[in-house]
């Protein structure tokens, strides 16, 4: 090597050494690396991390040998201000030649041979390539473990927060749910993920447990709300039952008024639901059930009361609508009669018979709406020559 080449190569190697030293320090200060040091691992993670540690030990051994060569080269360069041929030859040997000695590993006795293993000699470039391969293996292991922990541990924390919140709500309610099994399963999942993230397959179990505890938390929160609002909501429910009674009374009145005018089937008789709803409220008042169950039953009663009132109102409207339908058919019949007179069909015996049949049906009490509507339709077709 020329003097300039040797100077340049030595500076480049010094910069390379500093960069590698910084990378190794960053690796050892990495959060996941610190967590794994001395951690109790098992399964696939234990095997992978053991291999990574072995590679890291080899990396440090290579790095020590690499630094020793550079230290020798710096001492050769510092020996004289102006390098001579011997110095340049030595520097060339150190910086370009196979100057890094890798000692043969000491193996357990059961893996040894009586023929000694030779040490390896590498160039600085070959040494850096080996260190880089080992470094990548270690960082790949850290990244894979990190990926699982980053994905699963926050979800475990969230599920654990749900469980703690449920316990707080239970104390507020003065009740306790049987969640011992879920708590134990959560601990088991966390231990699995912490000790063997690379071999853990907990997604399905965690999804199921998270849904269960999220649902239990929502129920407990609702129960707390219901407990605080129970007196007011009970009063509102009593008022809602009064509205059901009024709506059902209107439906019965509508039925009584319409049944004398329109022929109704037996199933058109309105059925009352208010007594059953009132009994449900009385049972809820006397219940010793947990507030979670009472919250569900109160919400169900509120919904049923709304539905019962709406149904009774709809029945009354539909019943009065039947009278309106009869009146509409009467109007159609009158309009058709006017048209028959215009067309000169008023005196036609067949047409007149159809008109009379429809009139009798519509003015009979109770009126058979289905038969009357068909009679009006027949009369209308006769006027239009068989067409509507």
């Amino acid at each position: 090597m020329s003097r300039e080449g040797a100077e340049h190569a030595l500076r480049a190697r010094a910069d390379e050494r500093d960069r590698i030293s910084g990378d190794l320090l960053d690796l050892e200060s990495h959060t996941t690396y610190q967590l794994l040091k001395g951690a109790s691992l098992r399964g696939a993670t234990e095997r992978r991390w053991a291999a990574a540690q072995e590679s890291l030990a080899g990396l440090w051994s290579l790095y020590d040998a690499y630094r020793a060569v550079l230290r020798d080269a710096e001492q050769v360069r510092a020996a004289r201000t102006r390098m001579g041929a011997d110095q340049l030859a030595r520097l060339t040997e150190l910086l370009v030649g196979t100057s890094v000695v890798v000692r043969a590993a000491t193996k357990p006795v059961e893996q040894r041979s009586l023929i000694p293993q030779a040490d390896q000699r590498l160039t600085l470039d070959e040494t850096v390539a080996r260190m880089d391969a080992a470094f990548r293996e270690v960082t790949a292991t850290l990244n894979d473990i990190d990926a699982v922990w980053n994905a699963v541990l926050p979800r475990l924390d969230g599920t654990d927060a749900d469980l703690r919140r449920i316990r707080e709500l239970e104390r507020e309610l003065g009740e306790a749910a049987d969640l011992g099994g879920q708590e134990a399963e959560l601990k088991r999942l966390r231990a699995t993920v912490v000790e063997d993230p690379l071999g853990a397959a907990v997604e399905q179990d965690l999804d199921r447990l998270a849904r269960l505890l999220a649902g239990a938390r929502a129920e407990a929160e609702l129960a707390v709300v219901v407990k605080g609002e129970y007196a007011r909501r009970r009063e509102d429910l009593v008022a809602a039952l009064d509205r059901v009674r009024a709506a059902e009374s209107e439906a019965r009145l509508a039925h009584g008024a319409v049944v004398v005018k329109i022929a109704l089937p037996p199933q058109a008789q309105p059925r009352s639901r208010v007594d059953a709803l009132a009994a449900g409220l009385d049972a809820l008042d006397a219940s010793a059930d947990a507030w979670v169950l009472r919250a569900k039953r109160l919400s169900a009663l509120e919904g049923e009361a709304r539905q019962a009132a709406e149904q009774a109102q709809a029945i009354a409207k539909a019943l009065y609508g039947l009278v309106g339908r009869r009146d509409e058919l009467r109007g159609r019949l009158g309009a058709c009669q006017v048209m028959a007179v215009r067309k000169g069909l008023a005196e036609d015996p067949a047409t007149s018979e159809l008109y009379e049949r429809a009139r009798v049906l519509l003015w009979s009490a109770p009126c058979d709406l289905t038969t009357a509507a068909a009679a009006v339709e027949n009369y209308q077709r006769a006027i239009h020559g068989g067409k509507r």
Side-chain angles (χ1 to χ4, degrees), residues 192-246:
T192 299
V193 172
V194 169
E195 296 174 3
D196 188 16
L198 300 182
V202 302
E203 285 80 3
Q204 289 186 347
D205 289 342
L206 181 55
D207 287 344
R208 175 183 50 76
L209 184 60
R211 285 195 300 270
L212 189 151
L213 290 177
R217 174 177 176 170
E219 289 182 348
E221 288 173 342
L222 175 61
V224 168
V225 172
V226 170
K227 183 179 180 181
E229 298 179 346
Y230 184 76
R232 178 187 60 78
R233 288 176 67 177
R234 188 190 182 284
E235 290 180 2
D236 292 344
L237 184 54
V238 170
L241 294 182
D242 288 340
R243 290 192 291 273
V244 174
R245 289 189 183 92

Short mmCIF file of all heavy atoms in Angstrom, two decimals, residues 192-246:
data_model
loop_
_atom_site.label_atom_id
_atom_site.label_comp_id
_atom_site.label_asym_id
_atom_site.label_seq_id
_atom_site.Cartn_x
_atom_site.Cartn_y
_atom_site.Cartn_z
N THR A 192 -48.06 -16.80 28.63
CA THR A 192 -47.68 -17.43 27.36
C THR A 192 -47.02 -16.43 26.42
O THR A 192 -45.99 -16.72 25.82
CB THR A 192 -48.93 -18.03 26.68
OG1 THR A 192 -49.50 -19.03 27.53
CG2 THR A 192 -48.57 -18.66 25.35
N VAL A 193 -47.61 -15.24 26.31
CA VAL A 193 -47.07 -14.23 25.39
C VAL A 193 -45.73 -13.71 25.89
O VAL A 193 -44.82 -13.46 25.09
CB VAL A 193 -48.08 -13.08 25.23
CG1 VAL A 193 -47.47 -11.93 24.45
CG2 VAL A 193 -49.33 -13.58 24.52
N VAL A 194 -45.58 -13.53 27.20
CA VAL A 194 -44.32 -13.00 27.74
C VAL A 194 -43.21 -14.03 27.64
O VAL A 194 -42.07 -13.69 27.28
CB VAL A 194 -44.53 -12.56 29.21
CG1 VAL A 194 -43.19 -12.25 29.88
CG2 VAL A 194 -45.42 -11.33 29.25
N GLU A 195 -43.50 -15.29 27.92
CA GLU A 195 -42.47 -16.31 27.99
C GLU A 195 -42.16 -16.95 26.64
O GLU A 195 -41.04 -17.41 26.41
CB GLU A 195 -42.88 -17.41 28.97
CG GLU A 195 -43.00 -16.91 30.41
CD GLU A 195 -43.54 -17.96 31.35
OE1 GLU A 195 -43.78 -19.11 30.89
OE2 GLU A 195 -43.75 -17.65 32.53
N ASP A 196 -43.12 -16.98 25.74
CA ASP A 196 -42.89 -17.60 24.43
C ASP A 196 -43.66 -16.86 23.34
O ASP A 196 -44.57 -17.42 22.73
CB ASP A 196 -43.30 -19.08 24.47
CG ASP A 196 -42.90 -19.82 23.19
OD1 ASP A 196 -42.06 -19.29 22.43
OD2 ASP A 196 -43.43 -20.92 22.96
N PRO A 197 -43.30 -15.60 23.08
CA PRO A 197 -44.05 -14.85 22.06
C PRO A 197 -43.98 -15.47 20.67
O PRO A 197 -44.94 -15.39 19.90
CB PRO A 197 -43.38 -13.47 22.09
CG PRO A 197 -42.05 -13.69 22.72
CD PRO A 197 -42.24 -14.80 23.68
N LEU A 198 -42.85 -16.10 20.34
CA LEU A 198 -42.71 -16.67 19.00
C LEU A 198 -43.49 -17.97 18.83
O LEU A 198 -43.77 -18.38 17.71
CB LEU A 198 -41.23 -16.91 18.68
CG LEU A 198 -40.34 -15.66 18.70
CD1 LEU A 198 -38.91 -16.02 18.33
CD2 LEU A 198 -40.88 -14.61 17.74
N GLY A 199 -43.84 -18.61 19.93
CA GLY A 199 -44.61 -19.85 19.84
C GLY A 199 -46.04 -19.69 20.31
O GLY A 199 -46.81 -20.65 20.32
N ALA A 200 -46.40 -18.47 20.71
CA ALA A 200 -47.74 -18.24 21.25
C ALA A 200 -48.77 -18.15 20.13
O ALA A 200 -48.55 -17.47 19.14
CB ALA A 200 -47.77 -16.96 22.08
N ALA A 201 -49.88 -18.85 20.29
CA ALA A 201 -51.00 -18.76 19.35
C ALA A 201 -52.24 -18.45 20.19
O ALA A 201 -53.06 -19.32 20.45
CB ALA A 201 -51.16 -20.06 18.57
N VAL A 202 -52.33 -17.20 20.62
CA VAL A 202 -53.36 -16.83 21.60
C VAL A 202 -54.45 -15.94 21.00
O VAL A 202 -55.37 -15.52 21.72
CB VAL A 202 -52.72 -16.10 22.80
CG1 VAL A 202 -51.67 -16.97 23.47
CG2 VAL A 202 -52.09 -14.77 22.34
N GLU A 203 -54.38 -15.65 19.69
CA GLU A 203 -55.29 -14.65 19.12
C GLU A 203 -56.76 -15.04 19.32
O GLU A 203 -57.57 -14.21 19.76
CB GLU A 203 -55.01 -14.46 17.63
CG GLU A 203 -53.75 -13.66 17.33
CD GLU A 203 -52.49 -14.50 17.45
OE1 GLU A 203 -52.62 -15.73 17.71
OE2 GLU A 203 -51.39 -13.97 17.31
N GLN A 204 -57.11 -16.28 19.00
CA GLN A 204 -58.52 -16.68 19.10
C GLN A 204 -59.01 -16.65 20.55
O GLN A 204 -60.10 -16.14 20.84
CB GLN A 204 -58.71 -18.08 18.52
CG GLN A 204 -58.58 -18.14 17.00
CD GLN A 204 -58.92 -19.51 16.45
OE1 GLN A 204 -59.02 -20.49 17.20
NE2 GLN A 204 -59.07 -19.61 15.15
N ASP A 205 -58.18 -17.19 21.47
CA ASP A 205 -58.57 -17.17 22.89
C ASP A 205 -58.67 -15.74 23.40
O ASP A 205 -59.58 -15.41 24.18
CB ASP A 205 -57.56 -17.96 23.73
CG ASP A 205 -57.65 -19.46 23.48
OD1 ASP A 205 -58.69 -19.90 22.95
OD2 ASP A 205 -56.69 -20.17 23.81
N LEU A 206 -57.75 -14.90 22.97
CA LEU A 206 -57.77 -13.51 23.43
C LEU A 206 -58.98 -12.77 22.85
O LEU A 206 -59.62 -11.98 23.55
CB LEU A 206 -56.48 -12.81 23.03
CG LEU A 206 -56.35 -11.34 23.44
CD1 LEU A 206 -56.55 -11.18 24.94
CD2 LEU A 206 -54.99 -10.79 23.03
N ASP A 207 -59.30 -13.03 21.58
CA ASP A 207 -60.49 -12.40 20.98
C ASP A 207 -61.75 -12.77 21.77
O ASP A 207 -62.57 -11.91 22.09
CB ASP A 207 -60.65 -12.86 19.53
CG ASP A 207 -59.62 -12.21 18.60
OD1 ASP A 207 -59.00 -11.22 19.01
OD2 ASP A 207 -59.44 -12.72 17.48
N ARG A 208 -61.88 -14.06 22.06
CA ARG A 208 -63.07 -14.53 22.79
C ARG A 208 -63.13 -13.91 24.19
O ARG A 208 -64.18 -13.41 24.62
CB ARG A 208 -63.03 -16.06 22.89
CG ARG A 208 -64.16 -16.66 23.73
CD ARG A 208 -64.01 -18.17 23.83
NE ARG A 208 -62.68 -18.57 24.22
CZ ARG A 208 -62.20 -18.49 25.47
NH1 ARG A 208 -62.97 -18.02 26.44
NH2 ARG A 208 -60.98 -18.89 25.74
N LEU A 209 -61.99 -13.92 24.89
CA LEU A 209 -61.97 -13.39 26.25
C LEU A 209 -62.22 -11.88 26.25
O LEU A 209 -62.93 -11.36 27.12
CB LEU A 209 -60.61 -13.70 26.89
CG LEU A 209 -60.43 -13.30 28.36
CD1 LEU A 209 -61.45 -14.01 29.23
CD2 LEU A 209 -59.02 -13.61 28.84
N ALA A 210 -61.64 -11.17 25.27
CA ALA A 210 -61.84 -9.72 25.19
C ALA A 210 -63.31 -9.38 24.96
O ALA A 210 -63.85 -8.46 25.58
CB ALA A 210 -60.97 -9.14 24.08
N ARG A 211 -63.96 -10.15 24.06
CA ARG A 211 -65.39 -9.90 23.81
C ARG A 211 -66.21 -10.17 25.06
O ARG A 211 -67.13 -9.41 25.40
CB ARG A 211 -65.87 -10.79 22.66
CG ARG A 211 -65.42 -10.34 21.28
CD ARG A 211 -66.22 -11.04 20.21
NE ARG A 211 -66.08 -12.48 20.27
CZ ARG A 211 -65.15 -13.18 19.63
NH1 ARG A 211 -64.27 -12.55 18.87
NH2 ARG A 211 -65.10 -14.50 19.73
N LEU A 212 -65.89 -11.26 25.76
CA LEU A 212 -66.66 -11.62 26.96
C LEU A 212 -66.53 -10.54 28.03
O LEU A 212 -67.53 -10.10 28.61
CB LEU A 212 -66.16 -12.97 27.48
CG LEU A 212 -66.96 -13.63 28.60
CD1 LEU A 212 -66.82 -15.15 28.51
CD2 LEU A 212 -66.49 -13.17 29.98
N LEU A 213 -65.29 -10.10 28.31
CA LEU A 213 -65.10 -9.12 29.37
C LEU A 213 -65.62 -7.74 28.96
O LEU A 213 -66.12 -6.99 29.81
CB LEU A 213 -63.61 -9.04 29.74
CG LEU A 213 -63.08 -10.29 30.47
CD1 LEU A 213 -61.59 -10.16 30.74
CD2 LEU A 213 -63.82 -10.51 31.78
N ALA A 214 -65.50 -7.40 27.67
CA ALA A 214 -66.06 -6.13 27.22
C ALA A 214 -67.58 -6.13 27.39
O ALA A 214 -68.17 -5.12 27.82
CB ALA A 214 -65.68 -5.87 25.76
N GLY A 215 -68.21 -7.27 27.08
CA GLY A 215 -69.65 -7.38 27.28
C GLY A 215 -70.02 -7.32 28.75
O GLY A 215 -71.00 -6.66 29.13
N ALA A 216 -69.24 -8.00 29.60
CA ALA A 216 -69.51 -7.98 31.04
C ALA A 216 -69.33 -6.57 31.61
O ALA A 216 -70.08 -6.13 32.48
CB ALA A 216 -68.59 -8.96 31.76
N ARG A 217 -68.33 -5.86 31.10
CA ARG A 217 -68.12 -4.48 31.56
C ARG A 217 -69.30 -3.59 31.16
O ARG A 217 -69.79 -2.80 31.97
CB ARG A 217 -66.82 -3.93 30.98
CG ARG A 217 -66.61 -2.46 31.29
CD ARG A 217 -65.28 -1.95 30.78
NE ARG A 217 -65.15 -0.51 30.99
CZ ARG A 217 -64.02 0.17 30.83
NH1 ARG A 217 -62.92 -0.47 30.44
NH2 ARG A 217 -63.98 1.46 31.04
N ALA A 218 -69.76 -3.75 29.91
CA ALA A 218 -70.89 -2.94 29.45
C ALA A 218 -72.13 -3.23 30.28
O ALA A 218 -72.88 -2.32 30.65
CB ALA A 218 -71.16 -3.23 27.97
N GLU A 219 -72.35 -4.51 30.61
CA GLU A 219 -73.50 -4.87 31.44
C GLU A 219 -73.39 -4.27 32.84
O GLU A 219 -74.37 -3.76 33.40
CB GLU A 219 -73.62 -6.39 31.54
CG GLU A 219 -74.07 -7.06 30.25
CD GLU A 219 -74.21 -8.56 30.41
OE1 GLU A 219 -73.73 -9.09 31.45
OE2 GLU A 219 -74.77 -9.21 29.50
N ALA A 220 -72.18 -4.33 33.41
CA ALA A 220 -71.99 -3.78 34.76
C ALA A 220 -72.17 -2.26 34.76
O ALA A 220 -72.76 -1.70 35.69
CB ALA A 220 -70.60 -4.16 35.28
N GLU A 221 -71.66 -1.60 33.73
CA GLU A 221 -71.84 -0.14 33.64
C GLU A 221 -73.33 0.20 33.50
O GLU A 221 -73.81 1.17 34.11
CB GLU A 221 -71.04 0.41 32.46
CG GLU A 221 -69.53 0.39 32.72
CD GLU A 221 -68.73 0.79 31.48
OE1 GLU A 221 -69.30 0.73 30.36
OE2 GLU A 221 -67.55 1.15 31.63
N LEU A 222 -74.05 -0.59 32.70
CA LEU A 222 -75.49 -0.37 32.56
C LEU A 222 -76.19 -0.60 33.90
O LEU A 222 -77.11 0.15 34.27
CB LEU A 222 -76.06 -1.30 31.50
CG LEU A 222 -77.58 -1.27 31.31
CD1 LEU A 222 -78.04 0.12 30.89
CD2 LEU A 222 -78.02 -2.32 30.29
N ALA A 223 -75.76 -1.62 34.63
CA ALA A 223 -76.38 -1.92 35.92
C ALA A 223 -76.19 -0.77 36.90
O ALA A 223 -77.11 -0.43 37.66
CB ALA A 223 -75.80 -3.21 36.49
N VAL A 224 -75.00 -0.16 36.89
CA VAL A 224 -74.76 0.98 37.77
C VAL A 224 -75.69 2.13 37.41
O VAL A 224 -76.27 2.79 38.29
CB VAL A 224 -73.28 1.42 37.69
CG1 VAL A 224 -73.08 2.76 38.37
CG2 VAL A 224 -72.38 0.37 38.32
N VAL A 225 -75.84 2.37 36.10
CA VAL A 225 -76.73 3.44 35.65
C VAL A 225 -78.17 3.13 36.07
O VAL A 225 -78.89 4.01 36.59
CB VAL A 225 -76.64 3.61 34.12
CG1 VAL A 225 -77.71 4.57 33.61
CG2 VAL A 225 -75.25 4.11 33.73
N VAL A 226 -78.59 1.89 35.85
CA VAL A 226 -79.97 1.51 36.20
C VAL A 226 -80.20 1.63 37.71
O VAL A 226 -81.25 2.11 38.15
CB VAL A 226 -80.26 0.07 35.72
CG1 VAL A 226 -81.58 -0.42 36.28
CG2 VAL A 226 -80.29 0.03 34.20
N LYS A 227 -79.22 1.21 38.49
CA LYS A 227 -79.38 1.32 39.95
C LYS A 227 -79.58 2.77 40.36
O LYS A 227 -80.43 3.07 41.21
CB LYS A 227 -78.14 0.74 40.64
CG LYS A 227 -78.25 0.76 42.16
CD LYS A 227 -77.01 0.16 42.81
CE LYS A 227 -77.13 0.18 44.34
NZ LYS A 227 -75.92 -0.38 44.99
N GLY A 228 -78.83 3.68 39.76
CA GLY A 228 -78.97 5.08 40.10
C GLY A 228 -80.24 5.71 39.57
O GLY A 228 -80.77 6.66 40.15
N GLU A 229 -80.73 5.18 38.45
CA GLU A 229 -81.92 5.77 37.81
C GLU A 229 -83.18 4.95 38.04
O GLU A 229 -84.22 5.26 37.45
CB GLU A 229 -81.68 5.89 36.30
CG GLU A 229 -80.52 6.80 35.92
CD GLU A 229 -80.33 6.85 34.41
OE1 GLU A 229 -80.92 5.98 33.72
OE2 GLU A 229 -79.62 7.74 33.93
N TYR A 230 -83.08 3.91 38.87
CA TYR A 230 -84.20 2.96 38.94
C TYR A 230 -85.50 3.63 39.35
O TYR A 230 -86.55 3.40 38.75
CB TYR A 230 -83.86 1.82 39.90
CG TYR A 230 -84.94 0.77 39.95
CD1 TYR A 230 -85.07 -0.14 38.90
CD2 TYR A 230 -85.84 0.70 41.01
CE1 TYR A 230 -86.07 -1.10 38.91
CE2 TYR A 230 -86.84 -0.26 41.03
CZ TYR A 230 -86.96 -1.16 39.99
OH TYR A 230 -87.95 -2.10 39.99
N ALA A 231 -85.44 4.49 40.38
CA ALA A 231 -86.68 5.12 40.88
C ALA A 231 -87.34 5.95 39.78
O ALA A 231 -88.56 5.86 39.58
CB ALA A 231 -86.36 5.99 42.09
N ARG A 232 -86.53 6.76 39.09
CA ARG A 232 -87.10 7.60 38.03
C ARG A 232 -87.63 6.75 36.89
O ARG A 232 -88.73 6.99 36.37
CB ARG A 232 -86.05 8.56 37.50
CG ARG A 232 -86.55 9.43 36.35
CD ARG A 232 -85.43 10.24 35.74
NE ARG A 232 -84.37 9.41 35.20
CZ ARG A 232 -84.44 8.77 34.03
NH1 ARG A 232 -85.55 8.84 33.30
NH2 ARG A 232 -83.42 8.04 33.60
N ARG A 233 -86.86 5.75 36.47
CA ARG A 233 -87.29 4.92 35.35
C ARG A 233 -88.51 4.09 35.72
O ARG A 233 -89.34 3.78 34.85
CB ARG A 233 -86.13 4.02 34.88
CG ARG A 233 -85.04 4.80 34.16
CD ARG A 233 -83.86 3.96 33.79
NE ARG A 233 -84.18 2.96 32.77
CZ ARG A 233 -83.27 2.14 32.24
NH1 ARG A 233 -82.01 2.20 32.63
NH2 ARG A 233 -83.63 1.26 31.33
N ARG A 234 -88.62 3.71 37.00
CA ARG A 234 -89.82 2.98 37.41
C ARG A 234 -91.05 3.88 37.28
O ARG A 234 -92.10 3.44 36.82
CB ARG A 234 -89.67 2.50 38.85
CG ARG A 234 -90.80 1.58 39.27
CD ARG A 234 -90.79 1.30 40.76
NE ARG A 234 -91.86 0.37 41.10
CZ ARG A 234 -93.16 0.69 41.17
NH1 ARG A 234 -93.54 1.94 40.92
NH2 ARG A 234 -94.06 -0.23 41.47
N GLU A 235 -90.90 5.14 37.69
CA GLU A 235 -92.03 6.07 37.54
C GLU A 235 -92.39 6.25 36.07
O GLU A 235 -93.57 6.30 35.70
CB GLU A 235 -91.67 7.42 38.16
CG GLU A 235 -91.57 7.39 39.68
CD GLU A 235 -91.20 8.75 40.25
OE1 GLU A 235 -91.06 9.70 39.45
OE2 GLU A 235 -91.05 8.86 41.47
N ASP A 236 -91.35 6.35 35.23
CA ASP A 236 -91.60 6.49 33.79
C ASP A 236 -92.30 5.25 33.24
O ASP A 236 -93.18 5.35 32.36
CB ASP A 236 -90.28 6.71 33.04
CG ASP A 236 -89.65 8.06 33.35
OD1 ASP A 236 -90.37 8.93 33.88
OD2 ASP A 236 -88.45 8.23 33.07
N LEU A 237 -91.92 4.07 33.75
CA LEU A 237 -92.55 2.84 33.28
C LEU A 237 -94.01 2.77 33.72
O LEU A 237 -94.87 2.31 32.97
CB LEU A 237 -91.77 1.63 33.80
CG LEU A 237 -92.23 0.26 33.32
CD1 LEU A 237 -92.30 0.19 31.80
CD2 LEU A 237 -91.31 -0.84 33.86
N VAL A 238 -94.29 3.22 34.97
CA VAL A 238 -95.68 3.27 35.42
C VAL A 238 -96.51 4.18 34.52
O VAL A 238 -97.64 3.84 34.13
CB VAL A 238 -95.75 3.75 36.89
CG1 VAL A 238 -97.19 4.04 37.30
CG2 VAL A 238 -95.14 2.70 37.83
N ALA A 239 -95.92 5.33 34.14
CA ALA A 239 -96.62 6.24 33.22
C ALA A 239 -96.81 5.58 31.85
O ALA A 239 -97.85 5.75 31.21
CB ALA A 239 -95.84 7.54 33.08
N ALA A 240 -95.79 4.82 31.42
CA ALA A 240 -95.90 4.12 30.14
C ALA A 240 -97.02 3.08 30.18
O ALA A 240 -97.75 2.90 29.19
CB ALA A 240 -94.57 3.46 29.78
N LEU A 241 -97.18 2.41 31.31
CA LEU A 241 -98.27 1.44 31.45
C LEU A 241 -99.63 2.13 31.41
O LEU A 241 -100.60 1.57 30.87
CB LEU A 241 -98.11 0.65 32.75
CG LEU A 241 -96.88 -0.28 32.84
CD1 LEU A 241 -96.88 -1.04 34.16
CD2 LEU A 241 -96.84 -1.25 31.68
N ASP A 242 -99.69 3.32 31.95
CA ASP A 242 -100.95 4.09 31.85
C ASP A 242 -101.27 4.41 30.39
O ASP A 242 -102.43 4.35 29.97
CB ASP A 242 -100.85 5.39 32.66
CG ASP A 242 -100.87 5.13 34.16
OD1 ASP A 242 -101.33 4.05 34.57
OD2 ASP A 242 -100.40 6.01 34.92
N ARG A 243 -100.22 4.71 29.63
CA ARG A 243 -100.44 4.98 28.20
C ARG A 243 -100.89 3.71 27.47
O ARG A 243 -101.70 3.76 26.55
CB ARG A 243 -99.17 5.55 27.57
CG ARG A 243 -98.85 6.96 28.03
CD ARG A 243 -97.75 7.58 27.18
NE ARG A 243 -96.46 6.93 27.37
CZ ARG A 243 -95.60 7.27 28.32
NH1 ARG A 243 -95.89 8.25 29.17
NH2 ARG A 243 -94.44 6.66 28.42
N VAL A 244 -100.36 2.56 27.89
CA VAL A 244 -100.79 1.30 27.30
C VAL A 244 -102.27 1.05 27.61
O VAL A 244 -103.05 0.67 26.72
CB VAL A 244 -99.93 0.12 27.82
CG1 VAL A 244 -100.48 -1.21 27.32
CG2 VAL A 244 -98.48 0.29 27.38
N ARG A 245 -102.65 1.30 28.85
CA ARG A 245 -104.07 1.12 29.22
C ARG A 245 -104.98 2.01 28.38
O ARG A 245 -106.03 1.58 27.90
CB ARG A 245 -104.26 1.44 30.71
CG ARG A 245 -103.66 0.42 31.66
CD ARG A 245 -104.08 0.70 33.10
NE ARG A 245 -103.43 -0.25 34.01
CZ ARG A 245 -102.27 -0.01 34.61
NH1 ARG A 245 -101.63 1.15 34.38
NH2 ARG A 245 -101.73 -0.91 35.41
N ALA A 246 -104.56 3.27 28.23
CA ALA A 246 -105.38 4.20 27.45
C ALA A 246 -105.47 3.75 25.99
O ALA A 246 -106.54 3.77 25.37
CB ALA A 246 -104.78 5.60 27.53
#
